Amino acid sequence: MDTEHNNDQFIENRTFDEIQIGDSSQLARTLRPEDIKMFAVMSGDVNPSVVDPEFAHSGIFREVVAHGMWSGALISTVLGTQFPGPGTIYIDQSLHFSRPVTLGDTITITVTAKQKFEHNKHILFDCVCTNQEGLLVVGGTAEVLAPTEKIRRPRVHMPQFTISDKEERYQALLALAKGLEAVPVAVAHPCDAESLKGPVIAAQAGLIDPILVGPEAKIRSLAAELGLDISPYRIVNTKHSHESAAMAVSLVRNGDAEALMKGSLHTDELMGEVVSRATGLRTGRRISHVFYMDVPTYPKPIMITDAAVNIAPGLEDKVSIIQNAIDLFHILGRPEPKVAILSAVETVNPKIQSTLDAAALCKMADRGQIKGGILDGPLAFDNAVSIVAAKTKGIKSVVAGQADILVVPDLESGNMVAKQLEYLANALSAGVVLGAKCPIVLTSRADTAEARTASCAIAAIMAHAYRKQTP
């Protein structure tokens, strides 16, 4: 009996003359979630029994099952690569599906020569697929034109696939706020498609109760154009973006809203009103911004700060920036984050100010001036997110390679890192402002409605946490 050898450097067939009745070959595979997704992408078969867990749990099998032809494809794999192998041509296949294949099942495919036809070099094979309990899953027969010449070729190694399911990561982020009451949010000047769709989608998800602040006629016209029903939401009419920003901040100050959301106006317009000492939303802490990012090539969500508010923060500013991010990390239910203070190098260099700041910040954490996290730095970006890179450079640290929070030297470097992850690494991004009297959803004007909705999930969680802190 032949079995699969994953480490073989060559792939070799068995010719018609070499195969005897009763000869067989086996292959074993375990069904993983990514197998289902890749098969659905390749085939276009998005049967909800297979790709929709909620639907599947209400169906006949009560759980997600594999596409039926996933098992059929494995039979084809045995015939085409092992037995008979290269040069085999499929002629006919019959299959009977006895029971479903579910996630985690290990399926063993056994192909056995049943009948040979000398006149046309066809062979009929029995095909049996059993699960880890030895129960029949799929059975049938396959008829092939067997190769008559010996073939031995170097095994072609296929590329590795990474499933980047942004929708799944998006839904996981929204789930963090599941069960929370919708939070009233003042949306400043939602006067383009994405900035209006964002709060509407967030409202439909039960995250927020939006108050749309801007030119009413323009907002209603845009909603009609986009087919959005905004009738459930309050609209506060303003003449222009400056007035929208001022009014949105005023709604928070008056208690009508518990969070603020940027629309299609410029960041400076909104933040100018937020930081106004007379009418703004300042607290005793420095205001800063955090990008909460879920990157498919990193094993956990990661925060980047500050990449949107503080242009060139000094040491004292960085203390608040770090503490703000740590506090958010705790609000999201994750204790003691690993905080990497980034620079271009991982050693202290008097000529590079960010390395001096990093050393001072770590010592300040040791002295309790920054609380609730584990700090290390300076660390270069690779050392912060890659254990291999950290080990290669001999860095011994519980933070290196496992960072939860990346503290960037300045706005320029932080913005570049965040945007590169979003646009080149397909990261899911949410942006919020911390250190003000309320959470502020602050995203780029180029961000999608989904990115804005993801940010609303973070803001909703923050708003509920702020309620508990209010005496």
Side-chain angles (χ1 to χ4, degrees), residues 135-168:
L135 300 175
L136 180 66
V137 172
V138 179
T141 60
E143 183 177 345
V144 305
L145 171 60
T148 57
E149 295 182 359
K150 196 69 175 174
I151 299 173
R152 188 172 190 265
R153 300 284 299 171
R155 183 178 292 272
V156 177
H157 295 281
M158 301 304 293
Q160 295 293 316
F161 283 91
T162 300
I163 296 292
S164 178
D165 192 338
K166 201 168 187 176
E167 176 64 21
E168 183 177 66

Side-chain angles (χ1 to χ4, degrees), residues 405-458:
I405 299 172
L406 301 179
V407 182
V408 297
D410 52 38
L411 183 146
E412 288 180 303
S413 58
N415 199 270
M416 291 176 193
V417 168
K419 293 296 175 64
Q420 285 168 357
L421 291 176
E422 181 178 1
Y423 286 94
L424 295 181
N426 199 31
L428 173 68
S429 175
V432 290
V433 170
L434 314 171
K437 290 181 179 179
C438 74
I440 303 171
V441 174
L442 188 67
T443 54
S444 168
R445 283 173 291 173
D447 280 340
T448 64
E450 287 72 22
R452 297 166 195 267
T453 305
S455 303
C456 285
I458 302 293

Side-chain angles (χ1 to χ4, degrees), residues 168-232:
E168 183 177 66
R169 289 179 280 129
Y170 170 69
Q171 293 298 333
L173 178 54
L174 298 193
L176 296 176
K178 187 176 182 179
L180 296 179
E181 179 187 1
V183 174
V185 176
V187 185
H189 212 69
C191 294
D192 67 8
E194 299 303 323
S195 66
L196 184 57
K197 286 194 295 184
V200 171
I201 293 172
Q204 292 170 345
L207 298 171
I208 69 171
D209 180 14
I211 304 169
L212 307 176
V213 184
E216 183 172 358
K218 187 172 184 178
I219 292 173
R220 291 193 182 280
S221 174
L222 178 61
E225 180 184 333
L226 298 172
L228 298 175
D229 179 12
I230 60 171
S231 60

Side-chain angles (χ1 to χ4, degrees), residues 106-303:
T106 297
I107 305 303
T108 299
I109 298 88
T110 304
V111 173
T112 305
K114 179 181 181 180
Q115 191 173 355
K116 296 177 68 176
F117 303 93
E118 188 70 38
H119 69 285
N120 59 5
K121 306 303 181 185
H122 286 199
I123 301 179
L124 186 67
F125 291 94
D126 275 329
C127 306
V128 176
C129 303
T130 57
N131 63 19
Q132 65 276 7
E133 297 174 355
L135 300 175
L136 180 66
V137 172
V138 179
T141 60
E143 183 177 345
V144 305
L145 171 60
T148 57
E149 295 182 359
K150 196 69 175 174
I151 299 173
R152 188 172 190 265
R153 300 284 299 171
R155 183 178 292 272
V156 177
H157 295 281
M158 301 304 293
Q160 295 293 316
F161 283 91
T162 300
I163 296 292
S164 178
D165 192 338
K166 201 168 187 176
E167 176 64 21
E168 183 177 66
R169 289 179 280 129
Y170 170 69
Q171 293 298 333
L173 178 54
L174 298 193
L176 296 176
K178 187 176 182 179
L180 296 179
E181 179 187 1
V183 174
V185 176
V187 185
H189 212 69
C191 294
D192 67 8
E194 299 303 323
S195 66
L196 184 57
K197 286 194 295 184
V200 171
I201 293 172
Q204 292 170 345
L207 298 171
I208 69 171
D209 180 14
I211 304 169
L212 307 176
V213 184
E216 183 172 358
K218 187 172 184 178
I219 292 173
R220 291 193 182 280
S221 174
L222 178 61
E225 180 184 333
L226 298 172
L228 298 175
D229 179 12
I230 60 171
S231 60
Y233 316 127
R234 176 183 170 190
I235 299 178
V236 177
N237 186 38
T238 61
K239 295 178 181 178
H240 45 68
S241 57
H242 289 292
E243 186 179 348
S244 298
M247 180 58 70
V249 169
S250 177
L251 288 170
V252 174
R253 286 181 60 86
N254 295 339
D256 290 335
E258 294 183 60
L260 191 62
M261 184 175 185
K262 177 190 167 189
S264 57
L265 73 176
H266 196 278
T267 296
D268 288 347
E269 289 183 89
L270 182 62
M271 293 309 297
E273 295 294 335
V274 169
V275 301
S276 169
R277 295 191 180 278
T279 59
L281 302 172
R282 297 175 69 99
T283 65
R285 187 176 288 178
R286 182 80 177 183
I287 288 176
S288 62
H289 181 274
V290 160
F291 276 114
Y292 178 95
M293 310 198 84
D294 193 331
V295 188
T297 52
Y298 197 64
K300 55 186 176 180
I302 194 166
M303 294 181 184

